[in-house]
Amino acid sequence: MIELTIADRVATVVLNAPDKLNALNEEALAELNDAYDEAQGAGVRALVLRGEGRAFCAGRDIAGVDPRDDDVSGYLGELVTPLLRKMSSFPAPTFAMAHGACLGVGLGLLIATDVVYVDENAKIGSPFANLGATLDSGGHALFFERLGAHKTLDLIYTGRLMTGAEAVQSGLFSQVFPAGEALAAVEAAAARAATGATHAFVASKNLIAQLRDERLGLWESVADENAAQAALCDTDDYREGFAAFQEKRKPTFRGN
């Protein structure tokens, strides 16, 4: 599912499972982890992350997951969080192109990337209102810091998704482009960065990371999200939300 190419000191990592909107299962996360390791080992000076098909990443692949024995704690705590930390500390400038669905873990991949260019029609937010689950992968910290409590909870409660234009206007990501133009822009930005002062860029990246973590408590928030998600696994609403999604029907939540 994960493809890596390296040319002119730029690594391009592609999520390539368009039939399932690049949703990520355990195997795909392991492949993505390996791709970042390989890119780092090759000494690239910039990295581009993008998704193939109609979406960047629709989040976790829950096809075939049984919510009655779902190891969400292992999925998030042992696979997703270490990957996001690795992505955040990659020793070169990183760029992402986001289009279509950018949800759940897919949103987390963007949060862990230095610069994000988005298609104007991207869909960004918390889709968990119909799953009996909660936003994860750093979404609470990012949304609260950029949007404030009221708008964050409005998005969570309603499940409404922001367009790429709205997300950039709200300060979530870097730049928005008309449909079909973001990829060329992000590739050009990465190419420029790859010919720049890499050590100086990484110094700035590390300084920003320190400021962000001190201000947001990002990784502490991620750990709290993981714990909350694990606790929700024991609720009837969580099991109903998963079943409804898998059966392609509207869930009936009872608050249990």
Side-chain angles (χ1 to χ4, degrees), residues 60-84:
R60 182 185 182 190
D61 181 5
I62 64 171
V65 174
D66 186 343
R68 293 170 296 183
D69 59 5
D70 181 20
D71 184 17
V72 70
S73 181
Y75 176 83
L76 291 174
E78 297 172 18
L79 296 176
V80 174
T81 302
L83 172 62
L84 297 182

Side-chain angles (χ1 to χ4, degrees), residues 155-179:
L155 290 171
I156 290 171
Y157 292 168
T158 64
R160 184 180 71 82
L161 302 179
M162 292 182 286
T163 65
E166 184 181 358
V168 170
Q169 185 178 21
S170 299
L172 292 176
F173 299 122
S174 308
Q175 296 187 53
V176 61
F177 294 85

Side-chain angles (χ1 to χ4, degrees), residues 6 54 93 135 157 222-224 241 256:
I6 297 174
R54 297 184 294 114
L135 186 60
Y157 292 168
V222 169
D224 290 342
N256 299 321

Side-chain angles (χ1 to χ4, degrees), residues 85-102:
R85 281 183 170 272
K86 176 174 291 186
M87 293 172 62
S88 294
S89 61
F90 190 80
T94 61
F95 301 80
M97 192 282 281
H99 70 294
C102 309

